[in-house]
Amino acid sequence: MPDDTYAIELAPPDIASYRDGNTGIPYVTTFESGRPGPHVMVNAVTHGNELCGAIAVDFLFRNGARPTRGALTLSFANAAAFASFDRERPNASRFIDEDFNRLWDNATLDGPRDSAELRRARELRPAVERADFLLDLHSMQHATAPLMLAGLLDKSLDLAKRVGVPEYIVRDAGHAAGRRMRDYGGFGDPASPKAALLVECGQHWEKRSEEVALATTLRFLAALDILDPAFLARHPVDIGPPQRVITVTEAVTIATDDFHFAADYRGLEVIPKKGTLLGQDGGREIRTPYDDCVLIMPSRRLKRGQTAVRLGRFTG
Ligand SMILES: [Zn+2]
């Protein structure tokens, strides 16, 4: 698939001035309130080609967002990949060596393997470990409705509902190819009070993704009650329709070098009949496992070991 299917309506902000930060970790800044409260982290550019998160975090910096309790950390995860963004090849800046968001388990982070993303993940790890609550801002390949990926734990679902946007909350376990930052450490531990959310704000280059990223960020900070109400009042957010929950039951992981979909799926299609052919992976037929199966984020990167699509059903 060419990169130019969607028009590029966004411009990447200049984030060079945030490189030094104040934490000793490049592109990580922590504002301390001096009062007790949670440590909240808002992170952008886990994937370097996803511009809306950088725009939202830049907005918080430029508008002087400061915590009234606890601490607020603002970060740009894969800043090196983001810096390579090229309007002619906009997808090429997703990462440098490998997907930053498939490295987040102790065995990988403590292991011997090396890559640009692993070095950055190891560098960022102490900041992620300090956070009690994380919002990780992303965007998608296709222009479908925004999705809040809340993982499988009730605590994250509860937080997603307190945030109140976007409309669709997806409960999912992630990818066979590796663990996401939002599932790391306490975030993925049901016994820990920590919680993380990953929001997919829309298509990578669409103007609306910037609005969704900012609205979700402001609502996230409001839900955690760490910003001055006057700041929030200056930047009101439309809550929109009541939220719906989709529970992912399986991820289709590509097993061969010959995967193709049966149709041009974009995401959030509801396939009425169990057994409908979705695609072909070498000799294996991929069929819907039940009636009213919802397709989540069908991928254009149809590579062996990667997730082709996630399958779920409406559960709330
Ligand atoms: Zn992403």
Side-chain angles (χ1 to χ4, degrees):
M1 278 282 194
D3 279 355
D4 57 2
T5 315
Y6 292 100
I8 301 179
E9 301 169 353
L10 299 182
D14 180 1
I15 64 168
S17 62
Y18 308 128
R19 184 177 52 210
D20 288 350
N22 64 358
T23 62
I25 304 171
Y27 291 102
V28 179
T29 299
T30 296
F31 298 110
E32 301 277 357
S33 70
R35 297 192 185 88
H39 192 137
V40 178
M41 182 171 183
V42 178
N43 177 68
V45 296
T46 288
H47 294 126
N49 62 326
E50 299 178 358
L51 308 181
C52 62
I55 293 168
V57 171
D58 179 54
F59 176 95
L60 295 180
F61 272 115
R62 283 189 294 101
N63 286 278
R66 295 291 183 274
T68 51
R69 65 185 192 112
L72 174 63
T73 288
L74 303 179
S75 57
F76 302 90
N78 203 342
F82 176 75
S84 72
F85 181 79
D86 175 355
R87 295 180 71 88
E88 300 302 315
R89 297 171 62 240
N91 282 314
S93 56
R94 180 172 171 82
F95 52 74
I96 294 171
D97 294 327
E98 62 178 321
D99 192 327
F100 182 88
N101 215 25
R102 303 289 181 270
L103 306 174
W104 290 87
D105 60 83
N106 288 332
T108 304
L109 292 168
D110 293 331
R113 219 158 59 65
D114 182 49
S115 70
E117 276 72 23
L118 263 168
R119 288 195 289 277
R120 178 58 174 159
R122 287 165 181 149
E123 188 174 68
L124 192 65
R125 187 181 186 180
V128 177
E129 289 177 345
R130 277 197 293 273
D132 298 307
F133 297 98
L134 167 69
L135 178 64
D136 194 17
L137 295 159
H138 288 250
S139 53
M140 299 183 278
Q141 298 176 58
H142 288 300
T144 52
L147 305 171
M148 183 68 93
L149 304 190
L152 290 174
L153 301 178
D154 288 343
K155 62 182 181 179
S156 314
L157 178 63
D158 293 344
L159 180 56
K161 287 180 172 174
R162 277 159 57 204
V163 172
V165 293
E167 179 182 358
Y168 294 103
I169 301 171
V170 175
R171 310 190 74 183
D172 76 316
H175 306 276
R179 209 151 193 247
R180 302 169 298 187
M181 189 164 64
R182 72 151 315 289
D183 302 310
Y184 175 66
F187 302 138
D189 177 359
S192 163
K194 295 187 174 196
L197 296 171
L198 186 167
V199 63
E200 302 280 3
C201 298
Q203 205 280 331
H204 296 321
W205 334 122
E206 71 176 324
K207 185 73 181 165
R208 196 178 61 128
S209 69
E210 159 184 330
E211 292 150 20
V212 172
L214 184 57
T216 307
T217 299
L218 292 170
R219 287 290 311 166
F220 177 76
L221 297 172
L224 295 167
D225 189 23
I226 71 151
L227 277 194
D228 183 351
F231 184 96
L232 295 166
R234 282 197 297 277
H235 308 288
V237 173
D238 267 345
I239 292 293
Q243 289 173 298
R244 302 192 66 191
V245 180
I246 302 165
T247 299
V248 169
T249 58
E250 58 196 274
V252 176
T253 302
I254 300 168
T256 75
D257 295 323
D258 182 27
F259 185 103
H260 51 268
F261 283 112
D264 181 22
Y265 299 120
R266 298 298 169 107
L268 289 179
E269 291 90 350
V270 180
I271 310 293
K273 284 286 167 230
K274 173 183 174 175
T276 302
L277 185 68
L278 294 177
Q280 195 91 25
D281 189 7
R284 180 171 68 120
E285 286 184 341
I286 313 297
R287 291 183 179 274
T288 50
Y290 35 76
D291 289 351
D292 299 323
C293 179
V294 186
L295 308 190
I296 305 292
M297 294 177 72
S299 180
R300 293 169 152 189
R301 292 180 294 273
L302 297 174
K303 297 216 169 71
R304 185 199 293 249
Q306 302 299 310
T307 303
V309 63
R310 284 163 270 191
L311 308 179
R313 49 174 36 130
F314 280 101
T315 53

